Amino acid sequence: DMRKGMRQQKLAVDCVYWPLIRFVPRRTEAGLPPLQIDSKRTKVPLEDYIYNEARYRVLSISRPKEAKRLLALAKEDVERRWQILQEANRGA
């Protein structure tokens, strides 16, 4: 539903599926890494974002076990990407 597009985009950011980051070169002048993460730690569960989309919702109905397995993998991926961003933000 296109009327819910902005809400869906916010959910993608809030569950850190789509983290907001900026490259700010001038931060290096202060001894900080140039990567700035604007997203905060996960605020909402990934499934609140995922299952608003028909493609994922249909899979959860047609193949619930596979949907559950894929959701677990997606959560792991989101967590791994978040950790990578955190390390880059610390300058590691």
Side-chain angles (χ1 to χ4, degrees), residues 14-28:
D14 287 348
C15 73
V16 194
Y17 181 83
W18 193 274
L20 294 180
I21 58 175
R22 284 187 278 169
F23 182 72
V24 186
R26 69 178 176 274
R27 285 174 47 104
T28 57

Side-chain angles (χ1 to χ4, degrees), residues 18-66:
W18 193 274
L20 294 180
I21 58 175
R22 284 187 278 169
F23 182 72
V24 186
R26 69 178 176 274
R27 285 174 47 104
T28 57
E29 297 167 6
L32 299 169
L35 179 66
Q36 179 174 322
I37 302 173
D38 294 331
S39 290
K40 303 297 181 210
R41 188 71 176 119
T42 302
K43 297 178 186 176
V44 298
L46 181 61
E47 47 267 43
D48 286 3
Y49 162 68
I50 292 286
Y51 291 130
N52 278 332
E53 302 214 2
R55 56 191 167 157
Y56 300 117
R57 198 169 45 250
V58 167
L59 181 63
S60 72
I61 295 167
S62 64
R63 299 185 64 194
K65 288 182 183 178
E66 185 67 4

